[in-house]
Structure formats: structure tokens, C-alpha cells
Amino acid sequence: MPFPNIDPIAFAIGPFAVRWYALGYLFGVGLGAAYGYLLLANSRLWHKGEPPFAAKDIWDFAFWTMLAIVLGGRVGYVLFYNLPYYLANPGQIINTLDGGMSYHGGMLGLMLAVVLFTRFKGNGNWLSGLDLIASVSTIGIFLVRIANFINAELYGAPTTLPWGVVFPTDPEQLPRHPSQLYEAALEGLLLFLLIRVATHVFYALRRPGMVAGIFGVGYGLSRIAVEFVRLPDSQIGYLFGGWLTMGMVLSIPLVLAGLGLIAYAATRKESALRAPA
């Protein structure tokens, strides 16, 4: 099917252009912070009724989040996806106009930020802090993947399926898997719903580390599955056998860490907070 002709620039004021990609990050953080406020304000969800920090502090953390995502995402891209180029052209490291953001790098930056922020604001449990960002980050993932689709980037391999899309940026002009939408559905919407059930039906936030573990396993498996039909970055290509990609390699530790967190949280001896009647 033809690609919906959506301008990557959402709006422009004179020479200043705002892209959907930037808005995806901005609204992802804003909506994530609003949802995080509701979670933090509901003390009955948390272990011993103690969230990692006060609900009012979520707006301060939103600023930390933006810095962590941008810096972590860029550093991750430089290190994981195109290090030889940036070693030869160090001045281009700060040039983000060419894209070049790594999700895994951004997530590492975000994890570091929430651990430091939790400690900075008091004696909150840093594992609960990881649970918080796991609960809200799927919102941003969904919006940014939609923006990737609008940008006609990160598309998939050729397909004969009826929903294959001919992207305007594809030099071969072949119907391809809309892998961005697959990721939006799996890593964003489906994972959000799964975690929502875990937090509000099974009270998983009462076991610090459990929700972060669910996120790690859910995101990692979803990303690995989509990587089978998503084209790898051209400067790297396939790492082995015409199927193994860098995205898969970076997602495997995430799955293993998630399984470790789930096992740790499930076997802790501390009693969970009882839900009020």
C-alpha cells in the first residue's frame, strides 16, 4: 500500500522547524510524567506504601529524563552503531540532525538518572525507581516509533503481505514491513497494557524490581522478534548468518537482566503491602 504522505515537519515558524520526531520525545516525557504522577500519588501500589520519591518531584525528574534520554541515546548510538566514523569525525558526535539515537543507550541513561534522582531526593528504593520508569516509558516508545514511521525510517525487509508499505525513502521502492508500527504495537501499546495489569491487578510494584523485570523481558523479546523483519543499520549490516543484528545483541542482556529482576523480586522474603478494602 502507498505510504501516507505526512510531512516529517509538524510545523514551522520562519526558519525554525519542529519535527514529529522531536514532538514524540517531548510528549512521551510529558505524558509519561503525568502518568508517573498518578502512580506515585497512589501509595497503596508501592512496597510498604513508599514510592521511590514524592509525586510532586516527578516534574523535576522529567527534566532529568530529557537530558538522560538525549545524552544516553546519542552516546549509545556512537558507541554501538557507528564508532569508527565518529572516531574519525569527532566533531560530528554532537550533530544529531542526521538522526543517530540508540534506544538501548537512552534506556541506560534513563536508568542511571532514576537511580541518582532517587538517591538525591531521599532514601527511596532505587529498584522502585526502575519500576516507575518501566511503567511509564512505553508511552514514549509508542510515540517515537510512530514518528519513525512518519519519517519513513527504520523500515523493514521486503514483503508480499497486503499491509506492506512503499516508503518514499526506499531507493528500491518495494513493499516493506512497517516495522516501526510493529514496534509501536509490541514495545509500546501491548507492553503498556501488560504492565498496567501487573501494577493495578497484581500489585507488582509492591515487589521492587518486578515491573522493571517485566519491562526488560517484554521489550527485549519484542525487539528481537521485530529485528527479524527490520533492516539493520546500513553501516553495520547483519552480524552473522544474514539474520543476527546489533538490535538483537543489545536486547539479549536486557532479557536476561529482566529475568534476573523478576526472580529476585519474586523470591524476596519481605511481605507485600495489603491492598485496602
Side-chain angles (χ1 to χ4, degrees):
M1 64 181 183
F3 179 78
N5 190 20
I6 305 174
D7 193 334
I9 297 177
F11 62 90
I13 302 175
F16 180 71
V18 177
R19 295 178 174 271
W20 289 110
Y21 189 72
L23 291 178
Y25 276 101
L26 182 63
F27 279 94
V29 171
L31 293 175
Y35 182 51
Y37 179 91
L38 297 177
L39 295 177
L40 292 167
N42 191 349
S43 61
R44 74 190 187 114
L45 293 176
W46 300 91
H47 176 63
K48 296 182 179 180
E50 299 174 355
F53 49 84
K56 63 180 178 63
D57 293 329
I58 192 65
W59 308 111
D60 290 338
F61 180 61
F63 176 73
W64 287 48
T65 296
M66 287 299 299
L67 292 178
I69 291 174
V70 173
L71 292 176
R74 187 58 176 174
V75 171
Y77 181 81
V78 169
L79 293 178
F80 302 146
Y81 288 94
N82 216 351
L83 183 58
Y85 170 79
Y86 289 108
L87 287 177
N89 302 275
Q92 291 298 309
I93 292 177
I94 61 174
N95 177 21
T96 59
L97 295 178
D98 63 345
M101 296 288 284
S102 163
Y103 169 80
H104 296 88
M107 180 52 62
L108 288 174
L110 190 54
M111 291 169 61
L112 177 61
V114 76
V115 170
L116 294 176
F117 188 84
T118 301
R119 294 303 187 191
F120 176 74
K121 285 296 182 180
N123 297 316
N125 191 320
W126 65 270
L127 281 176
S128 292
L130 294 181
D131 290 336
L132 175 67
I133 61 170
S135 300
V136 306
S137 60
T138 50
I139 298 172
I141 292 173
F142 176 81
L143 294 175
V144 171
R145 291 309 183 197
I146 296 298
N148 289 148
F149 180 77
I150 293 174
N151 283 348
E153 61 188 0
L154 306 181
Y155 46 71
T159 180
T160 58
L161 293 171
W163 57 80
V165 176
V166 179
F167 290 93
T169 53
D170 176 19
E172 298 180 75
Q173 288 296 284
L174 297 173
R176 295 183 178 274
H177 285 283
S179 52
Q180 317 94 325
L181 300 184
Y182 298 168
E183 292 188 79
L186 292 175
E187 303 163 7
L189 182 58
L190 182 61
L191 191 51
F192 173 84
L193 294 175
L194 177 64
I195 290 176
R196 174 74 182 188
V197 170
T199 57
H200 287 72
V201 176
F202 296 101
Y203 293 97
L205 289 170
R206 295 177 183 177
R207 291 187 173 273
M210 177 64 75
V211 175
I214 293 172
F215 176 87
V217 174
Y219 177 86
L221 292 179
S222 298
R223 178 65 182 268
I224 290 171
V226 175
E227 286 286 322
F228 279 102
V229 297
R230 172 178 156 174
L231 289 181
D233 289 64
S234 58
Q235 72 275 12
I236 297 180
Y238 293 104
L239 302 180
F240 176 79
W243 60 271
L244 183 66
T245 66
M246 180 61 76
M248 291 180 181
V249 171
L250 295 176
S251 295
I252 291 172
L254 194 58
V255 174
L256 296 177
L259 290 173
L261 282 173
I262 291 173
Y264 171 77
T267 56
R268 290 188 70 179
K269 300 300 183 181
E270 299 171 349
S271 60
L273 183 68
R274 179 171 300 174

